[in-house]
Amino acid sequence: MYPFSLYLPTRIFGGENCIDNLPAAINSYGKNILVVYGGGSVKKSGLLDRVRNLLKDRMITEFSGITPNPKISKVREGVKLCRDNKINVILSLGGTSVLDCCKHIAAAVGYEGDPWDLVKDPSKIGNCLPIFAVMTMSATGSEYDGVGVTSNEETHEKLMIASDKLFPVASFLDPTYTYTVSDYQTASGAADIISHVFEQYFVLDGNPLTDGFAESMLRTVFQSTPVALKDHENYEARYNLMLASAFGCGGLLAIARTPSPWPCHAIEHELSAWYDITHGAGLAIIIPHWMRYSLNEKTAVKFAQYGYRVWNIQNSGDVNADANKAIEATADFFRKIGIPASLKELDSRITDEHFEKMADHISKAWWNLKLSFAPIDRDGIVTILRNSL
């Protein structure tokens, strides 16, 4: 069992109408608020009007147009808005992309250089504006961590900005705000949650406590996603997904485990940087191929354990065969919830043209994938990508 450090300063409010706690939570942090959102969904759902009403005694500046895989150009716009309007609080309304953009803005307002510098060198992150988040999607868990992801469209990079200073002060999880999320985005968000669990579960050395946390979370997502897709307003299923999203990436699952280099995320971020694909869908395509690449005599034991405990696969006495059954159950689940089975099916633009560049960039910009559950070298990255094509 490995040493660990766990820091979870964010206050979580959960349940229908939990947003009523927003004024009191935000009260002591300032009057000038930047309200950030994506497109028209927060308007159609009534969320934006409700926030305006709850915060009617504050000075609100609105910043919209945040897209999936948020761009550094929007971060720069947001920083200027904050400075021009003397913003002292940032409020994110939406999914992870909006919140990730808010985190980068919060860190960059007090920095004199270009915001992209903070991705390359997190030590330059100084004072950050306080962030509050009202979530409208279940996916990456950014509502309960200090990490954001930004894409640089000029350099074809999608990288993290990370600091303990970037945990939201408070996040609000009302499942009813996810009722209007499309089937595709619901499925992609679920795949993202699953991937977060896998990245922390499939490591060289775990422990019974966090194995149990991860397996319970996986069962929850595998069971709740089809229900949420069949009945968009199933409160319990949507709530389960929101909880799994938040607690899947806050560090609980990694307690006393071998540190993971998150190989599937390393590979998917490259694809998103070049092709701007949906993050969760890209992960769902990569995961089974990463699993097959990683399967060997040593790793088969854990893949089989996953199959026994999560998919109720019967122990046949052949660990390798049972591990393969677990991998196929995973791939089949992603297909059944409507995610394409290949990169080419996901986006016809994708070819192997940039795979070598992607592998080289991972080696320079990411953690060492040779420390993965099964070591992955440069050729291994290219192999996984080509098998996913």
Side-chain angles (χ1 to χ4, degrees):
M1 295 191 35
Y2 279 69
F4 71 94
S5 174
L6 181 66
Y7 181 64
L8 296 173
T10 300
R11 182 169 185 178
I12 299 285
F13 293 89
E16 189 170 5
N17 296 317
C18 64
I19 196 176
D20 289 343
N21 295 287
L22 177 62
I26 213 168
N27 188 51
S28 63
Y29 288 89
K31 294 286 187 180
N32 293 340
I33 302 171
L34 183 72
V35 176
V36 186
Y37 53 95
S41 62
V42 296
K43 296 179 180 179
K44 293 176 184 176
S45 68
L47 174 57
L48 182 59
D49 283 339
R50 188 167 186 186
V51 167
R52 287 168 175 162
N53 185 58
L54 287 169
L55 302 178
K56 59 188 176 184
D57 59 339
R58 274 78 163 179
M59 295 295 295
I60 291 178
T61 300
E62 295 184 16
F63 182 40
S64 63
I66 310 304
T67 61
N69 299 313
K71 310 300 186 289
I72 190 64
S73 55
K74 292 299 287 186
V75 172
R76 293 174 183 135
E77 287 181 41
V79 169
K80 186 177 187 304
L81 270 179
C82 286
R83 291 172 178 167
D84 290 348
N85 293 279
K86 297 182 171 54
I87 297 296
N88 41 42
V89 176
I90 297 179
L91 174 59
S92 170
L93 306 182
T96 299
S97 296
V98 177
L99 180 50
D100 282 2
C101 189
C102 288
K103 289 181 179 181
H104 205 149
I105 294 168
V109 169
Y111 176 67
E112 292 303 318
D114 186 75
W116 191 248
D117 296 346
L118 305 180
V119 171
K120 296 293 188 178
D121 185 1
S123 69
K124 293 181 178 180
I125 298 174
N127 293 329
C128 300
L129 291 178
I131 304 162
F132 293 78
V134 180
M135 303 306 297
T136 62
M137 186 174 172
S138 306
T140 73
S142 190
E143 59 270 27
Y144 206 25
D145 68 28
V147 179
V149 178
T150 306
S151 293
N152 188 325
E153 55 267 57
E154 299 167 1
T155 62
H156 297 292
E157 292 179 286
K158 179 180 177 181
L159 297 171
M160 295 183 297
I161 181 169
S163 171
D164 283 350
K165 301 172 184 177
L166 293 177
F167 277 85
V169 175
S171 292
F172 300 82
L173 315 180
D174 183 338
T176 65
Y177 290 138
T178 71
Y179 286 173
T180 58
V181 176
S182 70
D183 285 353
Y184 180 68
Q185 290 298 334
T186 297
S188 296
D192 201 355
I193 299 168
I194 291 164
S195 178
H196 288 173
V197 181
F198 283 163
E199 301 276 34
Q200 299 167 89
Y201 178 73
F202 290 113
V203 293
L204 296 176
D205 185 21
N207 57 74
L209 178 67
T210 50
D211 272 2
F213 287 168
E215 290 154 1
S216 174
M217 193 168 292
L218 289 168
R219 288 193 298 270
T220 297
V221 179
F222 286 138
Q223 292 165 9
S224 297
T225 303
V227 176
L229 291 173
K230 184 177 181 180
D231 177 6
H232 283 210
E233 297 188 9
N234 187 297
Y235 184 82
E236 183 176 357
R238 294 282 176 175
Y239 209 164
N240 284 338
L241 292 175
M242 291 201 95
L243 293 176
S245 171
F247 289 96
C249 208
L252 290 172
L253 304 186
I255 290 174
R257 303 177 75 84
T258 305
S260 170
W262 290 59
C264 293
H265 277 70
I267 296 169
E268 195 290 322
H269 280 195
E270 295 298 315
L271 290 165
S272 287
W274 280 94
Y275 297 104
D276 205 21
I277 62 174
T278 301
H279 177 57
L283 287 168
I285 294 168
I286 291 163
I287 285 169
H289 296 288
W290 163 78
M291 286 179 158
R292 294 179 187 117
Y293 178 89
S294 301
L295 180 60
N296 57 45
E297 185 177 345
K298 184 176 180 180
T299 63
V301 175
K302 192 56 174 283
F303 282 125
Q305 174 184 306
Y306 155 66
Y308 303 146
R309 297 183 181 179
V310 176
W311 288 110
N312 294 319
I313 292 170
Q314 295 301 306
N315 188 335
S316 70
D318 185 336
V319 173
N320 192 70
D322 293 345
N324 272 297
K325 289 178 183 177
I327 293 171
E328 292 313 307
T330 308
D332 188 53
F333 172 81
F334 290 138
R335 287 192 293 268
K336 285 181 176 177
I337 63 172
I339 295 178
S342 70
L343 294 174
K344 182 65 71 175
E345 186 182 347
L346 178 67
D347 191 323
S348 61
R349 297 172 301 157
I350 301 177
T351 68
D352 63 359
E353 177 185 1
H354 304 298
F355 287 177
E356 302 278 348
K357 293 179 183 177
M358 293 178 187
D360 288 337
H361 187 256
I362 288 172
S363 299
K364 294 176 184 177
W366 200 263
W367 299 303
N368 186 357
L369 297 196
K370 292 181 180 179
L371 302 177
S372 299
F373 188 44
I376 306 173
D377 58 15
R378 180 185 181 279
D379 290 343
I381 296 169
V382 175
T383 296
I384 293 170
L385 282 165
R386 285 181 174 149
N387 289 343
S388 302
L389 191 58

